[in-house]
Amino acid sequence: HVQLVESGGGSVQAGGSLRLSCVASGYTYGGGCMGWFRQGPGKGREAVAGLNKRGTGTYYADSVKGRFTISQDNGKNTVYLQMNSLKPEDTAMYYCAADPSPKSTTCGYWPRYNIWGQGTQVTVS
């Protein structure tokens, strides 16, 4: 089965940058969706970004458009989240997520994500 391991979180000042990584193991087929979600203090989990592993589309929450970029390295089965111009309100636990079904193509449909990593903390002050 698919497992996800995140890394790259940390503390940064407002205006700074971080890059999160998520390594996926156990993928049997190509295709599917991978993405990032976050949960801030006292808040519910929200979608941040997603992509189609076949490279046909990327999707972003309005709150991060123009600041965050999701990308992948299929050779390494790794998805990245480059976060620039960070704000204090970006402080959250960030989770990598996946829907590994090869039939999944609309990766901006957030409820489809059904596999989760353990999370990595991002703190912006």
Side-chain angles (χ1 to χ4, degrees), residues 6-125:
E6 305 98 331
S7 62
S11 296
V12 65
Q13 291 187 335
S17 299
L18 281 174
R19 188 176 81 157
L20 306 182
S21 300
C22 173
V23 179
S25 60
Y27 258 93
T28 305
Y29 306 104
C33 303
M34 288 189 69
W36 291 92
F37 291 67
R38 66 186 182 186
Q39 186 166 12
K43 300 180 181 179
R45 188 174 292 185
E46 64 172 346
V48 175
L51 60 72
N52 185 307
K53 284 179 58 62
R54 296 194 186 279
T56 58
T58 56
Y59 309 84
Y60 296 94
D62 288 343
S63 58
V64 305
K65 281 181 182 177
R67 300 189 299 124
F68 291 11
T69 303
I70 188 170
S71 62
Q72 64 178 335
D73 182 336
N74 272 336
K76 296 181 180 180
N77 230 9
T78 301
V79 171
Y80 304 98
L81 185 68
Q82 177 67 44
M83 304 185 295
N84 298 328
S85 302
L86 282 161
K87 305 175 181 180
E89 52 263 45
D90 294 317
T91 294
M93 184 70 79
Y94 282 72
Y95 297 91
C96 182
D99 169 11
S101 169
K103 297 181 180 179
S104 297
T105 57
T106 52
C107 299
Y109 179 64
W110 309 117
R112 74 176 335 115
Y113 291 84
N114 52 18
I115 295 173
W116 301 88
Q118 297 285 348
T120 184
Q121 178 68 38
V122 172
T123 302
V124 185
S125 59

